Amino acid sequence: MRSNYLFTSESVSEGHPDKVSDQISDAIVDLFLSKDPEARIACETLTTTQLVVLAGEIRCKGVYENGAWAPGAQEEIEATVRRTVKEIGYEQDGFHWEKLEFINRLHGQSAHIAQGVDAGADGSNKDEGAGDQGIMFGFACDETESLMPATLDYSHKILEQMAADRHSGAAPFLEPDTKSQVTLRFDGGKPVAATAIVVSTQHAPGYDAGEKEAELHAYVKQVIAGVIPAALLSDETVYHINPTGSFEIGGPDGDAGLTGRKIIVDTYGGAAPHGGGAFSGKDPTKVDRSAAYITRYLAKNIVAAGLAKRCTIQLAYAIGVSKPLSLYVDTHGTGTVGDDKIEAAIQSIAKLGGMTPRGIRTHLGLNKPIYRKTAAYGHFGRTPEGDFFPWERTDLVDDLKAALA
């Protein structure tokens, strides 16, 4: 591993067009899981000027069964979409929660997929299979309290604070679409200085010149100072605030949005590998989502247990097959025990259910409407609370230590 380098991560706000799409897709996942915990959902969303389109495959008791919609189901879906857009804050001429056109092209799940995924669908005692093939990665490191890469952690928190100020009215000149980027210098593998910070925020008319522009810039620097430790900021830190000038036209009116286009923002900001599959819009039988959550859970608990300072974990699956094809652990030379021993310890912990799709869903409690909150400001590094973000718990520490004793 290099110990001296510059590294950069970016984040985008809840009002970014791709994140609007992610939140709509996950709001649909939550709607269906609230009615049927065993629902199957693959919901893709397109957003553009005054238009939202849903597409994908579903199966849900009380909503869509035997090729037909239940009475009132499509109206409830549309109401969910409009409510999501309203909560984000879009009431603009080019994108308005009440005035936008809505098109629903969701349809029934393929019977061929269902027979491979559902437990016992072929008349046997076969366990539930993975909803797709793929490779999934989890990561954790000791750069921040949340055991996330510092560059991404700060990028997310800058935008979270700006969104909170926009919603509360503390920063009425802000509009929903915002992006951030943080570059840190690392020395000895630890962040020692913020060398460059970028924030581009959609704003009310007039905040691109004169005193109003100065007000916006001062506000953004104040938010940055409240997020990034003072020891990392200095007179040498370079700020790029709305570097293109005006940013009044934004969101889906400024750029079309699609579900699943911000997978690096969703995960580790480029500091770790990514298997390629997006999370939002998918029920937890899809291992793109659930296995990415369990690998983060495992990596975080390994670091929290003091077994490593950095940890990457990979799982691989085949569609319709319940057991993972492989488990890989890499502590990047920071482990206190061998990586092969950590792999064996993970596989010996019964409560993980062999990391089958059903085992993951059962251990983490994923068959619940908990996903809308994940669709902005990252799926990882969040605070577990109640049913939300269970993969961020560190309740496997004692099990790992016992398995390695």
Side-chain angles (χ1 to χ4, degrees):
M1 287 178 57
R2 293 181 62 187
S3 58
N4 302 312
Y5 53 91
L6 296 178
F7 196 79
T8 303
S9 296
E10 71 156 347
S11 181
V12 299
S13 73
E14 64 201 61
H16 186 281
D18 293 331
K19 279 287 141 201
V20 174
S21 295
D22 284 343
Q23 289 168 93
I24 291 172
S25 290
D26 273 341
I28 298 303
V29 171
D30 284 354
L31 173 65
F32 289 1
L33 289 178
S34 70
K35 298 179 180 295
D36 177 9
E38 297 296 327
R40 301 289 186 263
I41 313 113
C43 176
E44 311 296 340
T45 302
L46 162 70
T47 57
T48 187
T49 303
Q50 292 295 43
L51 176 66
V52 172
V53 181
L54 302 187
E57 303 76 45
I58 58 170
R59 189 178 79 212
C60 181
K61 294 177 182 178
V63 176
Y64 190 94
E65 297 181 86
N66 301 317
W69 290 100
Q74 295 200 66
E75 291 79 6
E76 189 171 10
I77 289 171
E78 179 172 354
T80 298
V81 169
R82 294 188 185 278
R83 181 173 63 252
T84 301
V85 175
K86 182 179 182 181
E87 289 173 354
I88 294 169
Y90 275 110
E91 296 184 344
Q92 301 174 356
D93 291 340
F95 196 68
H96 194 295
W97 66 271
E98 194 171 28
K99 300 175 183 177
L100 61 83
E101 179 185 0
F102 173 68
I103 299 174
N104 179 10
R105 290 291 182 268
L106 295 170
H107 60 81
Q109 183 190 48
S110 162
H112 292 170
I113 293 177
Q115 72 182 7
V117 174
D118 292 350
D122 57 359
S124 69
N125 60 355
K126 179 183 82 70
D127 192 10
E128 175 185 291
D132 202 351
Q133 72 173 46
I135 56 175
M136 297 83 204
F137 288 93
F139 179 74
C141 63
D142 64 354
E143 293 174 14
T144 61
E145 290 184 2
S146 60
L147 303 186
M148 288 288 287
T151 49
L152 182 65
D153 190 58
Y154 300 149
S155 295
H156 282 326
K157 287 177 178 175
I158 289 168
L159 297 188
E160 283 186 283
Q161 185 59 57
M162 292 176 67
D165 290 344
R166 175 173 59 86
H167 285 298
S168 71
F173 45 82
L174 297 179
E175 297 291 342
D177 192 358
T178 312
K179 301 177 75 172
S180 65
Q181 190 167 282
V182 173
T183 301
L184 298 179
R185 180 165 59 85
F186 287 75
D187 188 357
K190 297 293 183 181
V192 296
T195 61
I197 302 169
V198 183
V199 174
S200 295
T201 180
Q202 189 183 17
H203 56 78
Y207 281 84
D208 53 358
E211 292 182 2
K212 288 187 175 181
E213 182 183 39
E215 178 186 356
L216 187 150
H217 283 221
Y219 163 77
V220 171
K221 287 187 177 181
Q222 179 184 349
V223 170
I224 292 168
V227 169
I228 297 181
L232 300 181
L233 299 172
S234 72
D235 293 339
E236 296 182 357
T237 302
V238 177
Y239 296 87
H240 298 283
I241 300 171
N242 282 2
T244 63
S246 299
F247 188 2
E248 292 184 25
I249 300 172
D253 186 31
D255 188 10
L258 291 171
T259 302
R261 285 205 299 195
K262 288 293 177 283
I263 57 176
I264 300 303
V265 171
D266 284 344
T267 53
Y268 306 105
H274 193 295
F279 304 156
S280 291
K282 299 175 181 178
D283 72 79
T285 66
K286 278 74 170 176
V287 284
D288 274 342
R289 179 163 226 160
S290 55
Y293 291 167
I294 198 71
T295 53
R296 161 62 180 175
Y297 174 72
L298 293 171
K300 184 175 183 179
N301 276 270
I302 287 166
V303 175
L307 300 174
K309 293 181 178 296
R310 299 172 69 86
C311 182
T312 300
I313 293 183
Q314 184 205 57
L315 286 172
Y317 292 84
I319 187 169
V321 179
S322 61
K323 293 184 178 180
L325 307 181
S326 63
L327 165 67
Y328 168 78
V329 173
D330 184 359
T331 57
H332 307 277
T334 69
T336 60
V337 297
D339 294 346
D340 57 337
K341 293 183 178 180
I342 296 176
E343 289 173 356
I346 291 171
Q347 292 170 326
S348 72
I349 298 174
K351 66 170 65 173
L352 296 175
M355 290 167 294
T356 65
R358 183 179 295 279
I360 294 170
R361 292 191 296 127
T362 299
H363 181 65
L364 294 181
L366 299 182
N367 282 78
K368 299 173 183 177
I370 58 174
Y371 297 106
R372 162 75 192 282
K373 286 187 176 183
T374 69
Y377 312 115
H379 292 246
F380 307 128
R382 310 291 289 274
T383 302
E385 185 176 352
D387 292 333
F388 296 96
F389 303 102
W391 50 89
E392 292 297 314
R393 299 192 304 250
T394 53
D395 55 4
L396 201 69
V397 166
D398 290 341
D399 298 272
L400 287 166
K401 289 181 178 179
L404 287 163

